Amino acid sequence: MDVSSMKIRDMRKALDNKEISARELASEYISKIKEYDGDLKCYITLAEEQAYEQADSAQEIINGGNSKPLTGIPLAIKDNICTIGVKTTCASRMLENFIPPYNATVMEKLDSQNIVMLGKTSMDEFAMGGSTQTSAFAKTKNPYNKECVPGGSSGGSAAAVSAGLCAAALGSDTGGSIRQPSSFCGVTGMKPTYGRVSRYGLVAFASSLDQIGPIGRDSRDCAVILNAICGYDPHDGTSEKVPTEDFSAKIGQPVKGMKIALPKEFFADGINDDVRNAVLRAADTYKAMGAEIIECSMPSLKYAVPAYYLLACAEAASNLSRYDGIKYGHRAEKADSYEDLVVKSRTQGFGDEVKRRILLGNYALSSGYYDAYYRKALALRQLIREEYAAIFEKCDVIVTPTAPTAAYTPEMTSDPVQMYQADICTVTVNIAGLPAVSTTCGYDNDGMPIGMSVIGRKFDESTVLQVSDAFERDFTPIAPKL
Amino acid sequence: MVKYLAELSKLEFSDEELAKTAGEMTDIIDLMDTVKEIDITYDAVKDNHNVYLNDLRQDVCAASMPTEGILQNAVNSEKCFVVPKVVE
């Protein structure tokens, strides 16, 4: 059975109808990982033995007729989500040997459905980057063109889904880290509303922006995973007490009569022509389906990237101060004093991009600069939220490009400023805490996937998935040739 | 400035790294300076309507993680975290 293109719903049927066993399904994926991942480098850790044990447990549940939507489904997990007993490195030398003594809440929830965890996927170090090239262990390649990056920071997860090296995956999104790699790798990725999914056990980068979400072959697969991982968690003070719902419920309903807004600033200079044209063609598709397309404006977009980096780096500088070489993480061997131990451990353990962001965060928070940078960024966060609120008074969802370009070569990642500016299309969603899905809407002249983002109101993931799914039903994706 | 930030950040840079990082930080701060162009003020009271307030758990006794589990990731751990000798 070729599992590369199977959706979760197809696997569910095949497992429940006993056309394939959970062990056989896991074996198919593990064989494929062994064949292709040496080159693609999606995974940092392959959890083969545990995967087979989990498959056998899942099979017992299936045999008893008690399977849940994800029972026996082989998933990959981004390596910044704590997995009890399985290394969680954040793709950093700092956590090279870190084995969590507890599970993230999302892992508890997935385990309660008896998933099969194939392994932990590569990422930019501490989720800081958009290319997966800052990973200390596995610089993932794009399955569509191995000379190109898969995007990031959840590049390992997105590439693994794209290449058929897992059924679906979890990623995390602080400034676009689920949506942008999904766009680059031609898959569907969702950043849920801030507070929808517990962050307990997600290694913190920027706590007011981080959110765990699914990456799948389509919106329906993402809905199934979101159903499994969402919900209030007393371990996360920022998870919200909102009713859980079936995020598949509106999928398949027509978009006729819906109002879809296109903010003009997201289509301005700096957006590649192929990308702009593909997203505008997608808007035409929605129009042909009976949706109303509205032009709108988000003037604050000009300030979004610096506001995001000031907020994210300030929070990162604080969050990463916990790495002192004592409780866990890399510990320098020769240190004369406590101070020396902390400085040497951090200097040896962190990579260049992480260090840059810690420096920037401490700059923004330091005396004399706090008001000019950090407090101004907080004001911009308010402004961006207000502008989104004003747009949502007139529409149901917003559609934008996911990234200014399709995937590029690793050489393009050498200039940090250029890399930061490439986040222009995604960061406002995190700043405002909104849900958004990226799905493939076309291919550029080189055959590289182009992503379109559908952004919704807070806690309106169902509508976002309804709209992205409507497009997917009208679109024929092209699979990568491995 | 970068040297001062490195001290705040508990990081060490060689002279060569310092020079490279200073150049990069200059470019990055130029980008961050864009926020100075807009005349707006942060309103903390207004922000409280938008940001979910932390829902803290009740302060009650509960089982904690096993000590062995917590110490398994500490290098040089015996039955506690070990730090270099501190003599005042």
Side-chain angles (χ1 to χ4, degrees):
Chain A
M1 187 175 283
D2 179 19
V3 296
S4 309
S5 58
M6 282 179 84
K7 310 290 194 306
I8 290 176
R9 54 191 174 278
D10 301 325
M11 291 180 206
R12 177 81 277 124
K13 275 186 204 156
L15 286 165
D16 290 345
N17 294 338
K18 311 284 167 61
E19 293 160 25
I20 189 168
S21 72
R23 181 173 266 266
E24 286 166 347
L25 188 58
S27 174
E28 290 277 346
Y29 277 106
I30 288 167
S31 301
K32 205 164 174 204
I33 291 167
K34 286 182 176 172
E35 186 175 353
Y36 293 105
D37 203 49
D39 187 22
L40 282 174
K41 297 182 171 59
C42 301
Y43 287 87
I44 289 176
T45 303
L46 182 61
E48 182 175 356
E49 198 178 322
Q50 180 183 299
Y52 283 127
E53 285 167 13
Q54 289 178 333
D56 292 341
S57 300
Q59 192 60 49
E60 284 180 29
I61 307 282
I62 294 165
N63 291 345
N66 297 315
S67 60
K68 292 178 180 163
L70 293 173
T71 304
I73 303 295
L75 301 180
I77 306 296
K78 187 176 180 180
D79 209 19
N80 60 350
I81 295 172
C82 284
T83 44
I84 190 165
V86 178
K87 269 204 295 186
T88 298
T89 70
C90 275
S92 177
R93 295 275 171 218
M94 181 58 88
L95 291 175
E96 187 167 6
N97 299 308
F98 177 65
I99 300 175
Y102 70 105
N103 256 338
T105 296
V106 291
M107 293 313 300
E108 291 290 327
K109 285 174 176 275
L110 291 177
D111 285 347
S112 75
Q113 292 212 10
N114 288 90
I115 64 142
V116 172
M117 186 184 81
L118 294 169
K120 305 296 293 289
T121 51
S122 193
M123 51 185 279
D124 283 294
E125 184 180 4
F126 281 100
M128 296 179 185
S131 64
T132 315
Q133 304 307 294
T134 70
S135 170
F137 309 119
K139 297 186 193 314
T140 310
K141 297 176 183 175
N142 191 307
Y144 281 85
N145 178 352
K146 290 171 197 157
E147 301 296 315
C148 290
V149 302
S153 64
S154 312
S157 287
V161 175
S162 174
L165 305 188
C166 62
L170 288 189
S172 69
D173 193 315
T174 305
S177 284
I178 287 174
R179 291 159 287 153
Q180 183 255 30
S182 297
S183 167
F184 281 14
C185 292
V187 294
T188 303
M190 170 166 229
K191 178 219 162 293
T193 308
Y194 183 77
R196 176 65 94 178
V197 178
S198 170
R199 292 183 296 109
Y200 180 70
L202 170 68
V203 178
F205 162 14
S207 306
S208 77
L209 304 161
D210 297 338
Q211 188 64 187
I212 296 171
I215 299 175
R217 302 229 165 92
D218 63 11
S219 296
R220 280 178 276 180
D221 277 5
C222 287
V224 173
I225 294 174
L226 185 59
N227 280 344
I229 62 173
C230 71
Y232 171 72
D233 177 16
H235 286 111
D236 174 5
T238 60
S239 79
E240 294 217 34
K241 281 180 180 162
V242 288
T244 54
E245 55 189 278
D246 176 7
F247 298 106
S248 309
K250 289 168 85 172
I251 281 179
Q253 290 181 17
V255 298
K256 188 176 179 183
M258 289 183 79
K259 291 181 176 169
I260 297 175
L262 308 182
K264 62 182 181 188
E265 291 81 1
F266 282 84
F267 296 85
D269 293 346
I271 304 296
N272 171 279
D273 286 345
D274 285 351
V275 172
R276 185 188 301 109
N277 293 336
V279 179
L280 291 175
R281 274 198 304 276
D284 287 341
T285 303
Y286 284 126
K287 200 173 175 183
M289 291 175 181
E292 186 183 342
I293 305 298
I294 303 167
E295 194 183 278
C296 64
S297 178
M298 179 175 260
S300 64
L301 188 67
K302 180 181 172 189
Y303 308 106
V305 167
Y308 166 78
Y309 275 92
L310 289 165
L311 294 170
C313 294
E315 293 182 28
S318 171
N319 272 326
L320 270 61
S321 65
R322 72 190 65 179
Y323 297 99
D324 55 7
I326 292 168
K327 300 181 292 299
Y328 50 84
H330 175 76
R331 181 177 177 127
E333 278 182 7
K334 290 176 187 165
D336 302 330
S337 64
Y338 170 77
E339 179 78 11
D340 194 35
L341 174 68
V342 174
V343 171
K344 281 190 172 145
S345 298
R346 290 167 64 80
T347 301
Q348 293 167 9
F350 291 137
D352 290 346
E353 182 58 30
V354 174
K355 287 176 184 169
R356 258 196 297 275
R357 294 197 193 198
I358 292 173
L359 292 178
L360 177 60
N362 280 327
Y363 178 71
L365 291 173
S366 57
S367 173
Y369 297 98
Y370 178 85
D371 285 337
Y373 291 107
Y374 184 67
R375 223 174 147 77
K376 188 56 102 42
L378 289 175
L380 279 160
R381 168 142 75 184
Q382 283 180 329
L383 181 66
I384 289 166
R385 282 180 177 150
E386 285 164 9
E387 288 187 4
Y388 266 120
I391 295 172
F392 277 119
E393 280 179 14
K394 295 172 195 157
C395 71
D396 298 292
V397 295
I398 297 168
V399 165
T400 70
T402 303
T405 64
Y408 37 75
T409 56
E411 293 72 43
M412 301 284 286
T413 65
S414 59
D415 178 357
V417 170
Q418 203 179 334
M419 285 303 292
Y420 296 174
Q421 284 171 325
D423 293 338
I424 183 76
C425 298
T426 47
V427 292
T428 56
V429 162
N430 300 78
I431 290 172
L434 302 174
V437 165
S438 176
T439 191
T440 311
C441 68
Y443 300 87
D444 73 4
N445 278 335
D446 298 320
M448 298 304 286
I450 294 169
M452 153 183 84
S453 282
V454 180
I455 305 165
R457 295 188 179 96
K458 264 189 163 189
F459 296 105
D460 195 11
E461 284 88 350
S462 295
T463 303
V464 171
L465 288 163
Q466 175 195 357
V467 173
S468 56
D469 170 74
F471 180 81
E472 288 167 2
R473 285 169 192 255
D474 198 70
F475 180 76
T476 308
I478 302 166
K481 292 185 184 78
L482 297 182
Chain B
M1 176 52 113
V2 174
K3 210 167 181 179
Y4 170 64
L5 289 174
E7 273 173 41
L8 281 179
S9 308
K10 306 281 185 208
L11 293 169
E12 224 165 34
F13 291 93
S14 66
D15 288 345
E16 195 184 328
E17 288 168 337
L18 214 54
K20 182 172 177 269
T21 307
E24 288 167 348
M25 288 302 290
T26 303
D27 293 342
I28 291 169
I29 289 164
D30 279 349
L31 173 65
M32 300 304 133
D33 278 342
T34 319
V35 302
K36 293 179 177 171
E37 292 172 12
I38 185 168
D39 184 20
I40 50 170
T41 311
Y42 177 60
D43 181 343
V45 177
K46 208 164 129 191
D47 204 21
N48 281 338
H49 297 295
N50 282 316
V51 177
Y52 187 72
L53 296 173
N54 279 359
D55 176 26
L56 301 178
R57 282 172 285 159
Q58 293 294 310
D59 186 12
V60 290
C61 286
S64 59
M65 283 182 200
T67 310
E68 319 79 77
I70 298 298
L71 289 173
Q72 74 179 4
N73 287 294
V75 183
N76 287 340
S77 75
E78 292 162 13
K79 287 184 178 173
C80 54
F81 294 120
V82 178
V83 297
K85 193 180 282 181
V86 178
V87 181
E88 290 293 334

